[in-house]
Amino acid sequence: MRVLFSKGIAAISKPRCGSTSLRRMLNPFMDPGAGDISVDIDDENPPFHPHITAPYLQEILSERGPDVHLEYFVSVRHPLRMLESYYKFFVPDENSRYFYSPDYTGRRYGMSFEEWVLKGRVELAPDWERLAPEYITATDLTPLSLEAFAMCKDGSWATDHVFRIEEMDKIREWLSEKLGSEVEGKHVNRSEDMETPPLGSEALSKVRTMFPHESEIYGV
């Protein structure tokens, strides 16, 4: 997450969607004297969080007063590639617990990728869930969706812009205009395997249900 009061923008970091690349792009423009906020590690600066949702960030910042006007943006990635990246990075066990969980069994890939898409789940912080649309639930993978990070409970969008991480040039161009200086950087932590992972019809249908906007953006 990055909040640049000095430039009037806020970057929402959706997991496994190029957030590290975007944070590095913005780092040279951070102005602590203007109150700019950067968070990279859990519990670094609570209640802020590296992957805080836009609605909750707006709720926190509203305490600063109505004169806080920021342009929010978030990056997305093909939902199947995003899910595969999350699966490989956080290695769920047979109970959808991940290596960051205190009760993780340590059994790598307790479910196959397709089984995880169908039966897996991801928890959502209570304050994030409180402000998210009702269909975002910790009983499936909807907490990883664009809607969970960028949409309010009433269905309105909390972000002004959604960028495809595959179109990094467009992101750099927009940021350069907003920041008044040429932005440099490239997509880091990029998966070497850019093939879309195969899934059966049932799993694909569930992806479309859990990630409706991303599925529409990418033609899933």
Side-chain angles (χ1 to χ4, degrees):
M1 180 213 71
R2 294 291 184 269
V3 177
L4 284 75
F5 295 106
S6 59
K7 301 295 184 179
I9 62 174
I12 298 300
S13 295
K14 188 174 179 293
R16 317 314 298 166
C17 292
S19 57
T20 299
S21 303
L22 294 177
R23 291 196 295 265
R24 290 184 181 180
M25 284 183 185
L26 292 170
N27 282 345
F29 301 92
M30 300 295 295
D31 182 359
D36 292 354
I37 304 169
S38 63
V39 180
D40 295 306
I41 304 171
D42 293 2
D43 299 323
E44 179 182 358
N45 184 13
F48 299 104
H49 185 279
H51 297 295
I52 193 171
T53 65
Y56 187 49
L57 178 58
Q58 290 172 353
E59 180 177 87
I60 296 171
L61 295 181
S62 68
E63 299 173 1
R64 296 179 176 234
D67 58 334
V68 177
H69 299 289
L70 297 170
E71 203 166 349
Y72 283 73
F73 76 97
V74 65
S75 59
V76 295
R77 183 181 184 183
H78 191 292
L80 299 187
R81 294 174 186 156
M82 180 275 294
L83 286 169
E84 184 182 48
S85 178
Y86 196 95
Y87 174 80
K88 288 182 175 179
F89 190 79
F90 293 112
V91 288
D93 66 15
E94 67 277 9
N95 294 306
S96 276
R97 294 176 297 214
Y98 307 87
F99 70 68
Y100 55 77
S101 305
D103 52 356
Y104 180 59
T105 65
R107 298 173 187 162
R108 291 179 60 86
Y109 306 124
M111 292 187 281
S112 69
F113 175 63
E114 182 151 356
E115 184 181 8
W116 179 69
V117 170
L118 287 168
K119 302 178 182 178
R121 59 186 184 275
V122 177
E123 293 183 357
L124 196 64
D127 281 322
W128 302 5
E129 185 174 6
R130 171 173 55 84
L131 297 172
E134 295 293 343
Y135 55 87
I136 305 300
T137 171
T139 61
D140 58 21
L141 303 179
T142 50
L144 298 177
S145 68
L146 174 62
E147 291 82 355
F149 283 84
M151 186 176 281
C152 302
K153 184 173 287 292
D154 64 3
S156 62
W157 289 101
T159 54
D160 303 285
H161 306 280
V162 176
F163 293 104
R164 292 168 48 136
I165 199 63
E166 296 89 349
E167 298 178 331
M168 187 62 75
D169 287 345
K170 290 185 178 180
I171 301 176
R172 279 195 294 264
E173 182 180 347
W174 182 78
L175 283 175
S176 297
E177 181 180 349
K178 296 298 297 184
L179 298 171
S181 181
E182 191 69 25
V183 172
E184 298 181 357
K186 60 182 180 179
H187 190 176
V188 299
N189 293 342
R190 187 170 183 168
S191 173
E192 295 298 327
D193 180 12
M194 294 304 294
E195 295 295 324
T196 302
L199 287 177
S201 58
E202 183 182 1
L204 275 175
S205 178
K206 185 155 189 181
V207 168
R208 295 184 188 108
T209 299
M210 294 188 295
F211 304 89
H213 282 86
E214 286 141 300
S215 293
E216 182 177 356
I217 291 171
Y218 288 92
V220 175

